[in-house]
Amino acid sequence: MPLQVFGYTIALIGLIYYGVGYEGVLTYYAYTTKFTKQIWEGESSEKKFETASTGRERRGGIVRKMVIVGVFMLCVVGLVAGFAARSGQAHFEEKVGKGWFDLGG
C-alpha cells in the first residue's frame, strides 16, 4: 500500500510535468500560493475597498484559521487511525492463523 501510493505519486507528478511543462508548474504554483494566502488571511478577491479592521473581523480570522487547522488535524488523525486499524487487523489475523486464539471451541 505505501509503495503503491509512492509509485502513483511519482507517476502523477511526471504526467503533470509532461502535460504543462516547467513554466506551467511554476505558474500553477504561484497562483496556488496566492490563493492559499488569501484564504488563510481571509481576504476576498472581490474586495474593492479596504475597511478599517475591527475586533470582530480579527476574531473571524482567528476562527477561520482554527477551522482550517482543525480540518487538517482531523484528516491526519483519520489517516493515522486507518493505518493503525489496518495494522491491528493484520496482526490479529496473524495471531489467529498461528492458533493463539481457540475460536472453534
Side-chain angles (χ1 to χ4, degrees), residues 6-47:
F6 181 70
Y8 281 120
T9 302
I10 290 175
L12 183 62
I13 289 171
L15 182 65
I16 291 171
Y17 183 76
Y18 178 76
V20 297
Y22 183 71
E23 293 296 322
V25 171
L26 288 180
T27 304
Y28 178 76
Y29 177 75
Y31 282 126
T32 304
T33 304
K34 181 181 176 183
F35 179 72
T36 305
K37 186 176 181 182
Q38 285 178 346
I39 289 176
W40 183 257
E41 297 297 326
E43 300 172 5
S44 173
S45 60
E46 300 170 356
K47 188 188 289 186

Side-chain angles (χ1 to χ4, degrees), residues 1-9:
M1 168 91 177
L3 185 59
Q4 285 179 326
V5 171
F6 181 70
Y8 281 120
T9 302

Side-chain angles (χ1 to χ4, degrees), residues 47 50-62 64:
K47 188 188 289 186
E50 293 294 324
T51 60
S53 66
T54 62
R56 184 176 183 156
E57 289 175 358
R58 275 185 251 131
R59 276 183 270 143
I62 292 171
R64 181 182 303 105

